[in-house]
């Protein structure tokens, strides 16, 4: 990645990602980071404000984190922006979240373009208000040829619904003789998920001290590492993303093998 940089520049770039004596190893970056942005409501409550104040400040955390991910060289970030269960929140809160989505997409288009970021969205997007769908589609189209980072927004998303849809679409192909049962394997299932063009998740980050997965990317996290922080989402910044990546890099990912096998490159 830094092959065209002088050694002194490499040292400078590396220094930027230092935490204590530890630096991010740019040769071992997680390809796909998925973030459960939790704690907006509690953050606001602590300050004696309404929940929606937390969501508004959550947008600042989104901006800084995405900028940080682009600087570090992460290829895909999926943000859990709105679950199918979130439709059950009070109407006013849902309306504010939908309006925030539209206004943020408009405001952050420059950030996306300046950082060569491609926007994608997964979920039951037809349930979104027409205005939000239109804004989302516009930004997706404008950024579709960007290549540095994919920002994948999970909106009106449910992992179980995603898997049910995959089953339905695979079954249709079997009924139409386009696919046989024998052919069904992990790749076929991957190819029928919303995330079909994305690598599996390497690292899941959840803020606010909660340790749940909440119906998020259930198939794609099969071998992900988990990082939990007590910070509420509106306080999360790029330096916290770097801490999470450094923590991830200190883990041994064995994928079912033994430590010895890994050390012997078996
Ligand atoms: C969880 O906190 C957060 C959400 C349900 C919404 C996340 C949305 C944003 C950060 C703003 C808009 C996003 C984008 C991508 C522009 P919570 O409300 O569940 O907090 P609580 O658990 O403290 O109640």
């Amino acid at each position: 990645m830094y092959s065209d940089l002088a050694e002194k520049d490499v040292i400078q770039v590396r220094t930027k990602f230092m935490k204590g004596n530890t630096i991010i190893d740019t040769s071992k970056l997680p390809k796909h980071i998925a973030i459960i942005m939790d704690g907006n409501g509690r953050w606001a409550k602590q300050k004696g404000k309404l929940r929606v104040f937390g969501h508004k400040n959550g947008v600042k955390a989104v901006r800084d984190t995405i900028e940080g991910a682009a600087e570090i060289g992460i290829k895909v970030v999926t943000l859990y922006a709105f679950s199918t269960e979130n439709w059950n929140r009070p109407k006013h809160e849902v309306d504010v979240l939908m309006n925030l989505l539209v206004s943020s997409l408009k405001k952050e288009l420059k950030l996306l373009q300046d950082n060569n970021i491609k926007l994608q969205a997964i979920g039951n997007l037809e349930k979104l208000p027409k205005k939000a769908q239109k804004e989302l589609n516009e930004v997706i189209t404008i950024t579709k040829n960007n290549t540095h980072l994919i920002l994948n927004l999970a909106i009106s998303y449910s992992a179980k619904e995603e898997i049910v849809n995959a089953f339905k679409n695979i079954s249709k192909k079997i009924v139409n003789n386009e696919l046989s049962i024998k052919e069904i394997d992990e790749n076929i299932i991957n190819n029928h998920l919303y995330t079909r063009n994305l690598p599996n998740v390497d690292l899941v980050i959840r803020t606010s001290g909660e340790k749940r997965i909440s119906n998020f990317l259930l198939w794609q996290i099969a071998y992900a590492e988990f990082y939990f922080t007590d910070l509420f989402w509106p306080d999360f910044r790029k330096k916290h993303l770097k801490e999470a990546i450094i923590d991830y890099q200190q883990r041994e990912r064995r994928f079912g093998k033994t430590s010895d096998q890994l050390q012997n490159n078996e």
Side-chain angles (χ1 to χ4, degrees):
M1 174 190 177
Y2 299 122
S3 54
D4 52 352
L5 296 178
E7 185 57 25
K8 72 171 174 32
D9 297 326
V10 174
I11 291 165
Q12 257 179 15
V13 171
R14 287 209 172 135
T15 312
K16 249 174 108 179
F17 305 140
M18 278 181 74
K19 179 203 166 202
N21 286 327
T22 324
I23 55 166
I24 289 186
D25 177 349
T26 48
S27 70
K28 269 179 37 190
L29 290 175
K31 280 201 194 77
H32 185 170
I33 301 182
I35 307 182
I36 304 179
M37 310 181 288
D38 198 8
N40 293 353
R42 279 164 284 163
W43 183 89
K45 198 172 171 199
Q46 256 187 0
K47 296 183 157 32
K49 305 270 189 185
L50 297 174
R51 295 177 54 79
V52 294
F53 182 69
H55 296 316
K56 286 179 187 156
N57 280 276
V59 177
K60 293 182 193 161
V62 169
R63 187 183 307 127
D64 201 65
T65 303
I66 294 308
E67 204 176 67
E71 282 168 16
I72 296 166
I74 303 300
K75 290 320 270 171
V76 186
V77 176
T78 297
L79 296 180
Y80 206 0
F82 195 89
S83 69
T84 48
E85 291 80 12
N86 287 151
W87 289 115
N88 298 323
R89 290 195 172 190
K91 184 179 178 315
H92 170 66
E93 186 170 338
V94 171
D95 289 347
V96 168
L97 278 167
M98 290 300 139
N99 287 336
L100 261 184
L101 183 72
V102 175
S103 62
S104 311
L105 286 168
K106 277 189 178 144
K107 263 200 244 146
E108 304 307 335
L109 180 59
K110 187 171 164 4
L111 173 94
L112 300 180
Q113 292 295 66
D114 287 352
N115 289 281
N116 194 10
I117 298 172
K118 171 177 170 166
L119 185 78
Q120 273 190 200
I122 56 170
N124 188 350
L125 304 176
E126 284 171 11
K127 275 185 90 177
L128 298 179
K130 287 281 169 284
K131 202 173 159 195
Q133 287 186 38
K134 184 170 170 283
E135 195 61 41
L136 194 60
N137 285 331
E138 274 175 21
V139 180
I140 288 174
T141 306
I142 295 170
T143 62
K144 74 174 194 300
N145 295 321
N146 290 347
T147 54
H148 183 59
L149 163 68
I150 295 176
L151 169 57
N152 181 38
L153 294 183
I155 315 171
S156 187
Y157 175 84
S158 148
K160 286 192 170 181
E161 191 175 82
E162 178 182 30
I163 293 169
V164 169
N165 280 334
F167 266 71
K168 283 185 181 161
N169 290 328
I170 291 171
S171 308
K172 267 188 221 152
K173 287 187 183 169
I174 292 174
V175 170
N176 294 335
N177 285 326
E178 292 164 36
L179 193 70
S180 72
I181 291 178
K182 260 207 281 185
E183 283 174 294
I184 297 178
D185 61 9
E186 289 188 14
N187 275 334
I188 296 280
I189 295 179
N190 268 328
N191 291 339
H192 289 81
L193 297 173
Y194 303 142
T195 51
R196 58 185 74 90
N197 67 326
L198 302 177
N200 278 326
V201 175
D202 298 305
L203 172 61
V204 176
I205 298 174
R206 183 170 189 148
T207 57
S208 91
E210 304 294 346
K211 296 183 180 70
R212 282 190 294 280
I213 202 63
S214 302
N215 205 1
F216 189 40
L217 302 172
L218 294 180
W219 173 275
Q220 300 85 339
I221 58 165
Y223 272 103
E225 297 291 327
F226 287 79
Y227 181 85
F228 299 106
T229 166
D230 287 339
L231 282 174
F232 291 137
W233 177 252
D235 288 329
F236 197 86
R237 290 292 177 273
K238 59 177 83 164
K239 69 172 180 195
H240 304 115
L241 177 72
K242 289 169 192 167
E243 283 172 13
I245 294 171
I246 287 167
D247 190 275
Y248 161 89
Q249 291 189 329
Q250 282 156 5
R251 310 207 189 156
E252 183 180 57
R253 301 188 78 202
R254 291 201 291 272
F255 298 98
K257 292 186 176 176
T258 66
S259 241
D260 287 348
Q261 280 179 303
L262 290 180
Q263 271 145 34
N264 298 331
N265 271 332
E266 283 171 36

